[in-house]
Amino acid sequence: MLIYFAVILFCLFLSIFKLPKSIENFALLIIAIFLCCGYMTGSDWYNYEQYYTNPDYSKQLAKLEFGYVWVQTFFSKIGVDFWLFHIAAKLLVFYALVSFIRSFNVNIFLFLAFFIPEVGFYLFIDCPFRNLIALGFSFIAFKNLFENKTTNFFIFALIAMCFHLSAVIMIVFYFVYKKNIKTLTVLIISFILYVLAFNVDFLMTNIYIPLTEISSLISERLKNYFLDPRYISEKISLGIFIRLFVLLVLLLFKETIISGDKKRQYVYNLSVIFLLIYPFGVTIKIFNRLSLFIVPFYIMCISYLLSSFTVKVNKYLLYTFFILLYLKQTYSLVTYDYKYVPYTNYINYVVKNEYPDIEYRHQYNPKHSSYKKHISN
């Protein structure tokens, strides 16, 4: 478990210094190897490895998210090993993330220190693979959007949708990212949405169930998430109040955050939208997938806020708050179930020339983890 905290502390330590590009890149490579080369961690890889070795298993995916099926089929047929394909894809997404963040005036290591525990461990270690690839294309799409290359934005957004349907939310973001969102409007909307999000019966009847009636394909894709109680919750967690607190802080310091660069306005708007839709991902877990596309903007907005303070006491207090928050969040994540501990890395097994069979790997973490709340099938 300590290795997960070590990665965060490593990023925080490096964020203090102005590093030469070569050292910065080497440090990023170390982080990438840790995040992208996980072997028996997570759970989704088991299904994806079977899809890869037997494409007939993924026929259902081909009906909506055909982009992934086409790509995996191509690499499978030319003889590329699944784990080389899997790790290479994750490395490319990590590279796309770093390239995107570097296009902003943000400390890359401070960003990663907060991004990794917010969603990075989930994305790269647990790894909802198609969602991750779609997210990679979203970085390219948003970069084009902020450079006023609208056609390119829509092209890459559509490509992302071919890998995961949740990327459709990017089209919605297009219509709001430039708006001058009034603070009073945000407060009113946040009150309505946070109350509405925990009225699950109303949401199921008036929003979620009608979504499944749009088409049989969408119904097949979403119905299990709406019917399975593991993916539904009406509990108001501490995280809800923390996100509301952060929203109030961002609203309070809006002018400080957005001053100096038009991109900051875009980042601020998308981070506010992330906080507004956050509670829906708490009550219906699958809707976490929608907010993933704008989490980077939320983290960048926090980075802008911390770097903009002239009163040191305010900066130190908020630094401490976010560091403690993400250390606590990391502990909660990695001890929740078997997916993260023990950590294994594919490179270690390559060096030893050991390649355990799929069932051994599938059962490794459930058998050896100290955190066995959810045992895989």
Side-chain angles (χ1 to χ4, degrees):
M1 178 173 65
L2 293 178
I3 193 170
Y4 292 98
F5 293 104
V7 170
I8 298 170
L9 295 176
F10 180 62
C11 291
L12 285 171
F13 176 72
L14 293 176
S15 71
I16 300 171
F17 306 101
K18 180 69 174 177
L19 299 172
K21 203 58 171 276
S22 58
I23 296 177
E24 181 178 296
N25 288 337
F26 182 70
L28 289 169
L29 177 62
I30 293 172
I31 297 167
I33 289 172
F34 169 78
L35 289 175
C36 301
C37 298
Y39 196 24
M40 303 178 207
T41 51
S43 57
D44 277 7
W45 66 263
Y46 178 72
N47 290 327
Y48 282 108
E49 186 167 349
Q50 293 186 91
Y51 294 158
Y52 194 83
T53 56
N54 190 342
D56 287 342
Y57 290 169
S58 57
K59 283 183 178 178
Q60 189 64 34
L61 294 179
K63 295 179 181 178
L64 273 178
E65 295 153 340
F66 53 86
Y68 174 77
V69 177
W70 287 359
V71 171
Q72 75 154 17
T73 301
F74 171 77
F75 284 101
S76 177
K77 285 187 174 181
I78 65 173
V80 176
D81 177 76
F82 167 75
W83 282 99
L84 292 179
F85 166 73
H86 189 70
I87 290 170
K90 290 200 285 185
L91 287 170
L92 286 172
V93 173
F94 185 80
Y95 175 79
L97 169 65
V98 170
S99 297
F100 180 59
I101 300 307
R102 278 176 163 171
S103 68
F104 297 83
N105 185 23
V106 171
N107 184 316
I108 185 65
F109 291 109
L110 181 62
F111 171 86
L112 290 174
F114 295 159
F115 176 83
I116 289 172
E118 178 71 43
V119 292
F121 288 139
Y122 167 66
L123 286 170
F124 290 95
I125 303 292
D126 191 8
C127 194
F129 195 37
R130 287 175 294 116
N131 218 147
L132 178 70
I133 296 173
L135 190 63
F137 283 110
S138 80
F139 299 142
I140 303 171
F142 280 120
K143 189 173 188 300
N144 279 279
L145 181 63
F146 291 177
E147 294 172 354
N148 294 315
K149 299 175 182 177
T150 306
T151 301
N152 289 349
F153 166 77
F154 281 106
I155 289 172
F156 284 104
L158 289 171
I159 293 173
M161 289 166 58
C162 294
F163 284 83
H164 204 277
L165 190 60
S166 61
V168 70
I169 195 69
M170 294 171 62
I171 308 301
V172 177
F173 297 151
Y174 169 77
F175 293 101
V176 295
Y177 82 102
K178 278 187 175 181
K179 300 293 183 183
N180 181 18
I181 305 175
K182 304 295 184 183
T183 298
L184 180 60
T185 302
V186 173
L187 289 172
I188 294 171
I189 293 174
S190 64
F191 175 78
I192 295 170
L193 292 182
Y194 273 69
V195 171
L196 184 62
F198 290 91
N199 189 341
V200 173
D201 290 337
F202 175 84
L203 292 176
M204 293 292 287
T205 303
N206 296 281
I207 299 177
Y208 299 146
I209 298 302
L211 274 177
T212 65
E213 296 173 350
I214 294 175
S215 77
S216 59
L217 292 177
I218 294 177
S219 176
E220 188 67 29
R221 187 77 180 83
L222 297 178
K223 68 179 182 181
N224 290 334
Y225 293 105
F226 295 156
L227 297 176
D228 192 331
R230 292 179 301 170
Y231 301 112
I232 300 174
S233 174
E234 293 184 80
K235 293 181 181 178
I236 301 178
S237 64
L238 178 61
I240 290 292
F241 295 104
I242 290 173
R243 293 314 190 283
L244 278 172
F245 168 74
V246 175
L247 176 60
L248 292 174
V249 171
L250 296 186
L251 292 174
L252 182 63
F253 292 99
K254 174 185 176 180
E255 294 305 319
T256 301
I257 294 168
I258 66 175
S259 62
D261 185 349
K262 67 178 182 180
K263 284 186 178 181
R264 286 179 172 239
Q265 178 74 61
Y266 308 157
V267 169
Y268 174 83
N269 287 348
L270 292 171
S271 66
V272 167
I273 293 168
F274 166 78
L275 291 167
L276 291 178
I277 66 176
Y278 173 82
F280 294 93
V282 174
T283 54
I284 306 291
K285 305 300 182 186
I286 189 60
F287 285 94
N288 271 327
R289 305 295 183 93
L290 299 177
S291 62
L292 289 176
F293 293 95
I294 48 175
V295 170
F297 302 104
Y298 169 62
I299 302 300
M300 278 195 285
C301 198
I302 293 172
S303 299
Y304 282 147
L305 176 64
L306 293 174
S307 64
S308 300
F309 278 127
T310 54
V311 180
K312 287 188 176 181
V313 66
N314 290 342
K315 177 184 289 191
Y316 294 150
L317 283 173
L318 271 182
Y319 259 110
T320 303
F321 168 76
F322 283 113
I323 290 170
L324 292 177
L325 169 65
Y326 283 119
L327 290 176
K328 171 62 172 67
Q329 191 164 313
T330 298
Y331 177 82
S332 298
L333 178 70
V334 302
T335 61
Y336 180 71
D337 60 20
Y338 65 89
K339 296 175 183 177
Y340 296 90
V341 178
Y343 173 82
T344 50
N345 193 287
Y346 182 71
I347 293 176
N348 182 50
Y349 284 83
V350 171
V351 171
K352 295 189 295 184
N353 197 30
E354 294 179 7
Y355 302 95
D357 66 70
I358 186 171
E359 293 303 328
Y360 173 88
R361 289 182 278 114
H362 181 46
Q363 292 301 324
Y364 185 84
N365 269 45
K367 285 182 177 179
H368 295 88
S369 179
S370 302
Y371 315 106
K372 302 182 180 180
K373 183 171 183 178
H374 296 129
I375 301 300
S376 59
N377 295 322

